Amino acid sequence: KNETEAEKILWERLRNNQLKGYKFRRQHPISLFIADFYCHQLKLIIEIDGEYHHLPEQIEKDLERTQILESNGLQLIRLTNEEVQENLEDMIAKITLKID
């Protein structure tokens, strides 16, 4: 899929181990899914959701996907494009809270 503006913005803050020294990968395959961002050390997935994630059938799919990933011992953080573009520092803080 094409990278969104929000993904570019967040990647600038995650790349090169900038976040507390943790290595994040972008568009990383995990089981049947492609995670927007993934840190293996933390078993942490960060997803950035666009508008279509508000659709009922997509909410259902996202929930199912989250349950599958969490049952495999992974943590998932979902952010929206708007949150990343308008409140980047808050979102970095939210991610950091999961790490500490």
Side-chain angles (χ1 to χ4, degrees), residues 69-85:
L69 294 167
E70 287 178 345
S71 72
N72 287 309
L74 300 168
Q75 292 188 79
L76 196 91
I77 297 177
R78 296 197 100 86
L79 309 173
T80 66
N81 285 327
E82 294 77 33
E83 286 175 324
V84 172
Q85 287 172 300

Side-chain angles (χ1 to χ4, degrees), residues 18-85:
Q18 287 179 82
L19 196 65
K20 299 207 164 210
Y22 288 103
K23 179 169 181 56
F24 280 85
R25 297 175 190 281
R26 187 156 71 164
Q27 297 298 311
H28 187 71
I30 297 171
S31 127
L32 304 168
F33 310 112
I34 304 279
D36 290 337
F37 302 100
Y38 178 63
C39 176
H40 182 68
Q41 277 170 287
L42 299 167
K43 294 197 176 319
L44 176 65
I45 296 167
I46 302 171
E47 290 285 284
I48 301 183
D49 296 339
E51 280 299 303
Y52 74 96
H53 287 271
H54 301 306
L55 301 171
E57 63 272 19
Q58 191 60 43
I59 290 171
E60 190 74 24
K61 279 185 194 156
D62 288 345
L63 207 61
E64 194 178 306
R65 178 178 173 167
T66 299
Q67 287 165 344
I68 292 168
L69 294 167
E70 287 178 345
S71 72
N72 287 309
L74 300 168
Q75 292 188 79
L76 196 91
I77 297 177
R78 296 197 100 86
L79 309 173
T80 66
N81 285 327
E82 294 77 33
E83 286 175 324
V84 172
Q85 287 172 300

Side-chain angles (χ1 to χ4, degrees), residues 2 4-5 13 19 22 28 30 41 51 62 70 73 90 92 95-96 98:
N2 286 338
T4 64
E5 196 53 41
R13 294 297 298 273
L19 196 65
Y22 288 103
H28 187 71
I30 297 171
Q41 277 170 287
E51 280 299 303
D62 288 345
E70 287 178 345
D90 290 350
I92 295 293
I95 296 164
T96 304
K98 280 272 195 196

